[in-house]
Amino acid sequence: MRLSDLPTPSLILDRARLKRNVARMVARAKELGVTLRPHMKTAKSAEVARLVHGGGTGPITVSTLAEAEYFAKSGFTDMLYAVAIVPAKLDRAAAIMRAAPGLKLLTDDLEAARAIAARGAALGVRFNAVIEVETGGGRAGVDPTSPELAAIADALAPAGMLAGVMAHAGHSYGCEGVTEIEEVAEAERAGVVAAAEFLRARGHSFEHVSVGSTPTALHARHLDGVTEMRPGNFVFFDLFQHGLGMCAAEDIAVGVLTSVIGHHRGRNHILLDAGALALSKDTGANRRIENVGYGLVRAPSEASPREDVAVLDVHQEHGILSARRGLDAIDPLPFADWPVGSRTLVLPNHVCMTSAMYTQYHVIDGSDEIVAVWDRTGGW
Amino acid sequence: MRLSDLPTPSLILDRARLKRNVARMVARAKELGVTLRPHMKTAKSAEVARLVHGGGTGPITVSTLAEAEYFAKSGFTDMLYAVAIVPAKLDRAAAIMRAAPGLKLLTDDLEAARAIAARGAALGVRFNAVIEVETGGGRAGVDPTSPELAAIADALAPAGMLAGVMAHAGHSYGCEGVTEIEEVAEAERAGVVAAAEFLRARGHSFEHVSVGSTPTALHARHLDGVTEMRPGNFVFFDLFQHGLGMCAAEDIAVGVLTSVIGHHRGRNHILLDAGALALSKDTGANRRIENVGYGLVRAPSEASPREDVAVLDVHQEHGILSARRGLDAIDPLPFADWPVGSRTLVLPNHVCMTSAMYTQYHVIDGSDEIVAVWDRTGGW
C-alpha cells in the first residue's frame, strides 16, 4: 500500500524522522545521567514507546488511566500517571496495577494523599505515589520545602506509598530563547531536588526525582540530583516546537495526509479535506511563527514545508489553504499545481492535539510505501 | 447508574433539553414549509437522528464518509454528504449506496463532476450529486447563474446524476444580531433558488434545493423555493450559539462531567481533569461572551451556568477554573465548596468540537440517573 491508496484525512508517521528524534533524546538522557521516562501523551502508541526503549518495554509516563490500561496490556509495567489522582479513580488504578505493579500516581493534595493511603489499605494494594511540586509553572504542585509537602509525605510514607517527587516546567513553552529555557530547566531541577532533600532530611526515602518537558530536557545544563526526565513531544515535534527552536522543520515526523477538494479562485484559496477535526484548533505556533495558521504543508516527497502557503482557516471538515504573506502574497495561487484530488501533508501546529483525533498511524520510511500501521489509544 | 458513578471526564447529554431543542427546530421547519435534514456532524449519533425524525429514520446530512457508513448501518438511507467529493472517494461512496441508495454527493468542480459521471458509469451506479453554490460564505461553491454551474450540471445531468443545488451560509456565525442573520439567510435562500431557476431554465430537473445552518434556520424570514434545511448544532447548542443569541444558556444540552483534581491557592485557581482534549481548544465563544474561556460550569443539578468562574486555561489533561471577571474577581475562590474529587459540568464553547473527543453520550433526563448510553461515531 502506498500513500496514494489511503483515505484522506489520514495520520502519517515518518519512521526515519521518529528514529532520529528518539536517538537524539536517548543520547540527551545518557549525557545527563538520567532515566528517560517518555511521556506517551503525545504518541499514545506502544510501538513508539518500544522504539524509545530499544525494542522492549521500559519506564513511561501517561496522561490518562485509559492510556495506562492500554500500555499495561502492551506489557509496560512501570508507568507514572502524571495527572493528579482523585479518590474515585483509585479502584481503577488498583486494577491496572495487577498487570502493571509499577504504576505510580500523582498528588499534590493532603486529602487525596490520605485517601490513597486509606483506600490502598482497604484494597490491600500498596499504591506508589509521587508528589508534585511547583517550580514556577503555576499549574499544579505544592511548594518545595513547604509544610504542605511534608504533610503529604507524612500521609503516604507510613503505608510505604511514597515513591518520589516530580515537577513539570510547562512554562518552558512560553520562553523566549535557549537561555531562558536553560533557566527554567534549572529552576525545575533545583526545585524538585530541594523537595527531595527536604523530605530526606525529614527521614523519608523514595526512588524517583522526576522532571520533564521537551524544551527543558533538551536544554538543561545538568540534572544533578534528578533520576529521570519525562519529555513527550520530542518523538514527533511540531510547528510550535520548531518555532520555539527545539527542532528543524525537517524533524517533524507526523503529518496529516489531505486531498484537495476544491478551488475558490475568487477568494484565492484551495480547499482541503482536513479541517478543525483533522488538524485540531490549536493555533499556539502562531505565537512563534508568523501566519502559520493551522499548519504548513509539504509534498510527501519533500523534506521541508512550503513557505508560501498555510492552512489559514478551518471549518469542521474543511481546511482553507491560502497564500501566507501579506503584501507579496501569491495571487493567484498556482491552482493548476493543486488539482482537485491531489494530495499534500499538513504539518501540525501542535502534534499532541492533532494526533488525538486518529486511532492509527500510517507509517512510512523513506518512500511513499506504507511500511506499518500502528494503533494509538485515546479517551479516558 | 448515576452521574457520581461515571469516570471523568465523560460527555453528558440532557435528553429533556435535547427534546426541547429538537421540537423547536421541527416546528421551525414545518412553519417554513421545508424538510428538516439535520446535519449530524454535531451529534454523530443514530439515537439523536431518530429523535429528530420522531423515532424513525429520515433525511440527514453527514460530514464524513465514516458518518455515512455508520448511519447506513443504522438504517438511514437518505443522506447528503456535505463536503465536496474527490474522485478517490467514489468507490467508497458506491459501496455505501448499497445500503443507502439515497446517498447524495456534493461537488462544485467540473473535473470532479465529470469523474462522478464517469466512475458511476464504470461501476454501474447512478450517483446523486448536489452542486454547491456560494451565497456569501466564501468557503466553497460556484456562483449561482454562472457558466461554471451550468457546465457542472451539464456534466451530471446526462447520466441522471443531478440531484439538486445547495448552499451553506456559514458566515451567519459571524453576524451581529438577528437582523444581520435574517439578511444572510435571505441571501442564502435567494442564491440557491436563483441557481435552481437558472438550471431549470436550461432544461434541468432535480429534487433538492437545500440551505442550512442553525442561525439561518432559526431566522430565515421565509424559505420560498427551498425544499430542505440542514441545521446541525441546534440539537445541543453551546456557548457560541448562546453568545450569538440563538439559545438560552439553559438550552445547552451537552456538558463535560469533570472532577476537581487540585487547588492552587497561590494562583487562585482550581484544577479540573477536563483539559484541551476533553473540551477542545475552540475558543470561538469568546468573540461573543467576554472571558468565557474554554467553557462555563454548572452543577449537574442547576439549570444555569455560574457567572463568576470559567475554565480560562487548558493543558492537555488539565482545565484551570478561575475567577472570571477582572477587578471584582473573587479572590480567594471558595475552595471549600470545590473539594478535590467533587464534580461539575463544563458547558462547551463549541459542542461539535468537544463532542468529537468522545465515543458515547451518557444520557440523563431530569435527574442524576444515567437513563441511556448512546454511541457516537467519529473519524473518517
Side-chain angles (χ1 to χ4, degrees):
Chain A
M1 196 157 70
R2 307 200 163 270
L3 286 177
S4 54
D5 301 319
L6 291 181
T8 56
S10 284
L11 192 65
I12 309 301
L13 170 54
D14 183 322
R15 190 166 61 186
R17 293 178 185 217
L18 168 64
K19 283 184 176 171
R20 208 164 64 212
N21 296 338
V22 165
R24 179 181 171 204
M25 193 61 85
V26 166
R28 241 340 247 167
K30 195 169 175 187
E31 177 189 14
L32 290 163
V34 297
T35 298
L36 179 57
R37 181 188 289 282
H39 203 320
M40 298 315 298
K41 81 185 184 75
T42 306
K44 300 203 183 203
S45 154
E47 293 286 352
V48 173
R50 279 194 284 267
L51 201 144
V52 176
H53 287 301
T57 61
I60 59 171
T61 311
V62 297
S63 64
T64 68
L65 286 178
E67 269 178 71
E69 286 160 348
Y70 162 85
F71 281 104
K73 266 188 219 153
S74 306
F76 289 80
T77 59
D78 179 2
M79 296 187 266
L80 170 60
Y81 168 42
V83 176
I85 193 84
V86 289
K89 295 180 181 175
L90 288 170
D91 286 24
R92 192 170 163 199
I96 295 168
M97 287 178 71
R98 288 201 283 271
L103 179 67
K104 281 162 271 294
L105 309 177
L106 192 67
T107 186
D108 65 356
D109 183 80
L110 179 56
E111 289 309 314
R114 287 177 178 149
I116 292 168
R119 192 67 193 150
L123 294 170
V125 170
R126 197 170 65 76
F127 287 120
N128 313 294
V130 172
I131 308 175
E132 182 165 11
V133 297
E134 200 213 327
T135 61
R139 179 174 79 186
V142 292
D143 284 340
T145 79
S146 65
E148 289 79 9
L149 176 62
I152 295 170
D154 290 346
L156 295 165
M161 295 187 191
L162 177 59
V165 287
M166 72 85 88
H168 170 60
H171 59 309
S172 61
Y173 284 57
C175 287
E176 298 298 333
V178 165
T179 305
E180 205 176 312
I181 294 173
E182 287 175 353
E183 282 158 15
V184 166
E186 175 53 20
E188 185 186 32
R189 184 204 69 80
V192 76
V193 169
E197 288 172 354
F198 171 75
L199 291 181
R200 285 180 183 134
R202 292 175 53 90
H204 293 298
S205 65
F206 44 83
E207 187 179 345
H208 303 286
V209 181
S210 179
V211 297
S213 83
T214 288
T216 57
L218 289 173
H219 290 291
R221 290 185 202 106
H222 67 89
L223 287 180
D224 295 353
V226 165
T227 64
E228 65 176 29
M229 64 181 191
R230 309 182 316 279
N233 185 289
F234 75 92
V235 290
F236 297 157
F237 286 123
D238 52 29
L239 291 168
F240 182 90
Q241 295 282 349
H242 173 49
L244 192 58
M246 298 301 101
C247 68
E250 293 70 27
D251 296 327
I252 299 173
V254 161
V256 172
L257 186 71
T258 178
S259 295
V260 171
I261 60 168
H263 296 158
H264 197 307
R265 287 166 197 271
R267 307 253 179 165
N268 197 36
H269 71 222
I270 289 165
L271 283 153
L272 305 174
D273 67 356
L277 287 186
L279 302 175
S280 104
K281 293 198 83 160
D282 198 305
T283 56
N286 292 275
R287 297 202 325 255
R288 304 286 176 181
I289 309 175
E290 204 180 351
N291 214 8
V292 77
Y294 298 86
L296 299 179
V297 300
R298 66 176 172 85
S301 57
E302 299 280 331
S304 308
R306 295 178 63 124
E307 291 288 327
D308 56 348
V309 293
V311 181
L312 292 185
D313 197 8
V314 288
H315 300 201
Q316 186 162 332
E317 296 295 344
H318 295 79
I320 297 181
L321 188 71
S322 308
R324 206 166 146 218
R325 297 193 198 295
L327 288 176
D328 40 337
I330 315 165
D331 191 0
L333 290 169
F335 289 98
D337 295 349
W338 302 82
V340 170
S342 65
R343 291 167 168 223
T344 190
L345 271 183
V346 183
L347 304 192
N349 195 304
H350 181 179
V351 73
C352 307
M353 295 297 295
T354 302
S355 301
M357 304 312 299
Y358 299 83
T359 55
Q360 52 188 22
Y361 301 96
H362 286 91
V363 183
I364 56 171
D365 197 343
S367 78
D368 69 343
E369 192 192 346
I370 310 299
V371 295
V373 180
W374 291 352
D375 64 343
R376 52 169 285 135
T377 193
W380 297 273
Chain B
M1 195 157 70
R2 305 199 165 271
L3 285 177
S4 54
D5 301 320
L6 292 181
T8 56
S10 283
L11 192 66
I12 310 301
L13 170 54
D14 183 323
R15 192 168 58 185
R17 294 179 185 218
L18 168 65
K19 283 183 175 171
R20 210 164 62 214
N21 295 339
V22 165
R24 179 179 170 207
M25 194 60 86
V26 166
R28 242 338 248 166
K30 195 170 174 188
E31 177 188 14
L32 290 163
V34 298
T35 299
L36 179 57
R37 182 188 290 282
H39 203 320
M40 298 315 298
K41 80 185 185 75
T42 305
K44 299 201 182 201
S45 153
E47 294 286 352
V48 173
R50 280 194 285 266
L51 203 143
V52 176
H53 288 300
T57 61
I60 59 171
T61 312
V62 297
S63 63
T64 68
L65 286 178
E67 270 178 71
E69 286 160 348
Y70 162 85
F71 281 103
K73 267 187 218 152
S74 306
F76 290 80
T77 58
D78 179 2
M79 297 186 267
L80 170 59
Y81 168 43
V83 175
I85 194 83
V86 290
K89 295 181 181 174
L90 288 169
D91 286 24
R92 192 169 162 200
I96 295 168
M97 287 178 71
R98 287 200 284 270
L103 178 68
K104 279 161 272 295
L105 309 177
L106 191 69
T107 186
D108 66 356
D109 184 81
L110 180 57
E111 289 308 315
R114 287 177 177 148
I116 291 169
R119 191 66 193 151
L123 294 170
V125 171
R126 197 169 63 76
F127 288 120
N128 313 295
V130 172
I131 308 176
E132 182 166 10
V133 297
E134 201 213 328
T135 62
R139 180 174 79 186
V142 291
D143 285 340
T145 78
S146 63
E148 289 79 7
L149 176 63
I152 295 169
D154 290 345
L156 294 165
M161 296 188 191
L162 177 60
V165 287
M166 70 86 88
H168 169 60
H171 58 311
S172 60
Y173 283 59
C175 287
E176 299 297 335
V178 164
T179 306
E180 205 175 314
I181 294 172
E182 287 175 353
E183 284 159 14
V184 167
E186 175 53 20
E188 186 187 33
R189 184 204 68 81
V192 77
V193 170
E197 287 171 357
F198 171 77
L199 292 181
R200 285 178 183 136
R202 293 175 53 90
H204 294 298
S205 64
F206 43 83
E207 187 179 346
H208 302 288
V209 181
S210 179
V211 297
S213 81
T214 287
T216 57
L218 289 173
H219 291 291
R221 290 185 204 109
H222 67 89
L223 288 180
D224 295 353
V226 165
T227 65
E228 65 176 28
M229 64 181 190
R230 308 181 317 279
N233 186 289
F234 75 92
V235 291
F236 297 157
F237 286 124
D238 52 30
L239 291 169
F240 182 89
Q241 295 281 349
H242 173 50
L244 193 59
M246 297 302 103
C247 69
E250 294 70 28
D251 297 327
I252 299 173
V254 161
V256 172
L257 185 70
T258 177
S259 295
V260 171
I261 59 168
H263 296 158
H264 197 307
R265 287 166 197 272
R267 308 252 178 165
N268 197 37
H269 70 225
I270 288 165
L271 284 155
L272 305 174
D273 68 356
L277 287 186
L279 301 176
S280 102
K281 294 197 85 161
D282 198 303
T283 55
N286 291 276
R287 297 202 327 251
R288 303 288 175 181
I289 311 175
E290 203 180 351
N291 214 9
V292 78
Y294 298 86
L296 299 179
V297 300
R298 67 175 173 86
S301 57
E302 300 279 334
S304 309
R306 295 178 64 124
E307 291 287 328
D308 56 347
V309 293
V311 181
L312 292 184
D313 197 9
V314 288
H315 300 201
Q316 186 161 333
E317 295 295 342
H318 295 78
I320 296 180
L321 188 70
S322 309
R324 206 166 147 217
R325 298 194 196 296
L327 288 175
D328 40 336
I330 317 165
D331 191 1
L333 290 170
F335 288 99
D337 296 349
W338 303 81
V340 170
S342 65
R343 290 166 169 224
T344 191
L345 271 182
V346 184
L347 304 191
N349 195 304
H350 182 180
V351 73
C352 307
M353 295 297 294
T354 302
S355 300
M357 305 312 297
Y358 298 84
T359 56
Q360 52 189 23
Y361 301 96
H362 286 91
V363 183
I364 57 172
D365 198 342
S367 77
D368 68 343
E369 192 191 348
I370 310 301
V371 296
V373 180
W374 291 352
D375 64 343
R376 52 168 286 136
T377 193
W380 297 271

